[in-house]
Amino acid sequence: MVDWNLAVATATRLVRPGPEVSRDEARAIVAELRRHAKESEEHVRGFTRMASEGADDTPVLVVDRPGWARANVAGFRELLKPLLEKMQERRGASPGGAVFNAVGGKVTGVELGMLLSFLSSRVLGQYETFAPATRELPAGTGGGGRLLLVAPNIVHVERELDVDPHDFRLWVCLHEETHRTQFTAVPWLRDHLQGEIQSFLSETDVDPMTVLERVREAAQTLAGGRPEGEEDDGGRSLVELVQTPAQREILGRLTAVMSLLEGHADFVMDGVGPAVVPSVGEIREKFQQRRAKGASRLDLALRKLLGLDAKLRQYRDGERFVRAVVEEAGMDGFNRVWTSPNTLPTKAEIAKPADWIARVHRKSE
């Protein structure tokens, strides 16, 4: 179904080179990022009051753009395995299925590689929740993930924003370390999230022609070339175009969780920042402006198609939710959100934090 090796090769071949740095400068940057990642553990744990007992089992890896792409191919391969096996079985029983598999796997591998090459220059860091361990990319032995810091992208953005590089690197590490703390301090969170994702994938219409038709619709949305007579779909993303009604319900829950995780990371990053990052105000202002405007019209169109604009809303809406709850109930009161899947906010509660407080706090009292 997917030629994973071809996906890695394509991404590696197409990835844009990072900023120019000398060998000594590169070594110094990598060493500093590792120091900041270690330092961030104490800052994040102290601020959030979350006991991250499994953090030692989740390695911190400083990678380049091809390394990030390889890690994500491994993650996709693991996460999508049940869906692809289901599609393989369905396709193999159809006339010409073997030929379709051979050709389709190559095409899909190239497309995935192209997508990852595009994204590989935009990601500063990532906590890989479902990362399988490989020889090149170790992961937690107890089912934990790994924390990736993409050094070329961090250097590129700090230069583009013209901010203090040492402050910016620590600021990024604070955000990513918060994600690692979330998953290592809340043991059930990984399994819950994986269950929701697998439920979403199991609802996928596995008829290849149907999927291809929906991808065609998505491509037409990007190009602005819908067939004559068809109504505008409102600029829906690729994810929205290929989902069923049941998937919309699951996606609503996933959106709420991701808004919580991203907003919490932004809140922690800004909460810790003033004490340890002297220029945090300047960094935050410039970074928010960069986030909002994108790099170009093509970048904005691709962000819309891939649903990346929804991720930007998750940062904003989630941070507002966390801030409102902490102001009303304090940090310990907010931390009730990690009690169980039942105490996670709904999508509606992300927009109305008072409703979550009423449900989780006043109801229990």
Side-chain angles (χ1 to χ4, degrees):
M1 291 295 296
V2 181
D3 188 328
W4 299 106
N5 292 331
L6 184 57
V8 171
T10 301
T12 302
R13 186 173 67 253
L14 297 180
V15 69
R16 290 187 293 178
E20 290 188 12
V21 294
S22 67
R23 187 179 295 273
D24 289 342
E25 188 179 6
R27 288 197 187 101
I29 291 168
V30 169
E32 183 177 17
L33 287 172
R34 287 178 175 151
R35 286 196 308 272
H36 284 331
K38 185 65 179 175
E39 180 185 347
S40 296
E41 289 183 38
E42 183 177 349
H43 293 315
V44 171
R45 293 180 194 182
F47 184 79
T48 63
R49 303 176 193 170
M50 297 174 71
S52 182
E53 297 178 358
D56 294 337
D57 188 42
T58 55
V60 176
L61 307 178
V62 182
V63 298
D64 58 10
R65 290 169 177 175
W68 178 87
R70 283 194 297 272
N72 276 266
V73 166
F76 280 136
R77 189 172 191 170
E78 183 73 16
L79 197 60
L80 296 177
K81 187 183 297 182
L83 173 64
L84 294 179
E85 288 176 351
K86 187 177 177 182
M87 294 184 71
Q88 179 84 17
E89 183 179 336
R90 175 87 168 262
R91 189 183 278 183
S94 63
V99 175
F100 201 95
N101 283 343
V103 176
K106 299 291 185 186
V107 172
T108 308
V110 169
E111 289 174 341
L112 178 59
M114 291 172 65
L115 173 62
L116 290 174
S117 72
F118 168 77
L119 295 174
S120 67
S121 62
R122 285 158 171 76
V123 177
L124 301 182
Q126 174 185 358
Y127 181 74
E128 280 202 296
T129 317
F130 311 108
T134 66
R135 187 175 62 181
E136 294 180 334
L137 296 162
T141 56
R146 57 183 168 230
L147 183 60
L148 304 180
L149 296 169
V150 191
N153 297 347
I154 293 173
V155 173
H156 171 78
V157 174
E158 70 192 27
R159 291 179 179 179
E160 180 185 311
L161 298 182
D162 190 25
V163 294
D164 183 281
H166 309 293
D167 284 1
F168 184 74
R169 293 165 196 172
L170 176 56
W171 190 70
V172 170
C173 287
L174 288 170
H175 182 101
E176 302 307 331
E177 176 57 36
T178 302
H179 286 315
R180 184 163 72 145
T181 297
Q182 289 163 348
F183 284 93
T184 55
V186 186
W188 54 264
L189 184 58
R190 179 186 183 276
D191 289 341
H192 172 72
L193 196 59
Q194 185 175 32
E196 291 282 54
I197 292 171
Q198 291 303 330
S199 295
F200 181 89
L201 294 175
S202 69
E203 291 289 337
T204 300
D205 187 337
V206 295
D207 175 54
M209 295 310 297
T210 301
V211 174
L212 288 173
E213 178 63 20
R214 290 179 180 174
V215 171
R216 182 190 66 84
E217 293 175 19
Q220 289 174 341
T221 298
L222 176 61
R226 282 175 297 278
E228 186 177 351
E230 286 191 10
E231 294 184 3
D232 191 333
D233 58 20
R236 291 183 294 166
S237 71
L238 176 59
V239 172
E240 292 170 315
L241 282 167
V242 300
Q243 69 187 247
T244 66
Q247 286 175 313
R248 289 191 187 96
E249 287 188 26
I250 300 169
L251 190 62
R253 296 195 297 269
L254 280 169
T255 298
V257 175
M258 297 310 297
S259 296
L260 170 69
L261 299 181
E262 296 294 358
H264 184 234
D266 266 12
F267 177 78
V268 172
M269 181 170 59
D270 289 342
V272 174
V276 298
V277 183
S279 60
V280 65
E282 177 192 2
I283 291 173
R284 183 64 157 154
E285 181 180 357
K286 289 183 175 180
F287 193 75
Q288 286 286 58
Q289 292 173 356
R290 182 182 184 274
R291 235 185 213 175
K293 70 181 182 180
S296 66
R297 291 180 65 183
L298 175 61
D299 188 60
L300 290 171
L302 285 169
R303 276 181 11 187
K304 178 65 182 176
L305 175 62
L306 299 172
L308 300 182
D309 55 339
K311 187 172 179 65
L312 298 182
R313 289 195 297 273
Q314 288 171 7
Y315 286 108
R316 183 188 65 235
D317 298 344
E319 196 273 341
R320 287 175 181 168
F321 170 84
V322 176
R323 185 171 300 279
V325 173
V326 171
E327 288 177 356
E328 177 70 22
M331 186 62 74
D332 290 336
F334 166 77
N335 281 340
R336 286 200 193 182
V337 77
W338 312 117
T339 305
S340 75
N342 293 330
T343 57
L344 291 173
T346 64
K347 190 176 179 181
E349 288 170 342
I350 287 288
K352 295 183 178 180
D355 290 352
W356 180 85
I357 293 174
R359 177 172 68 86
V360 174
H361 281 264
R362 292 167 194 162
K363 195 172 184 179
S364 63
E365 291 167 3

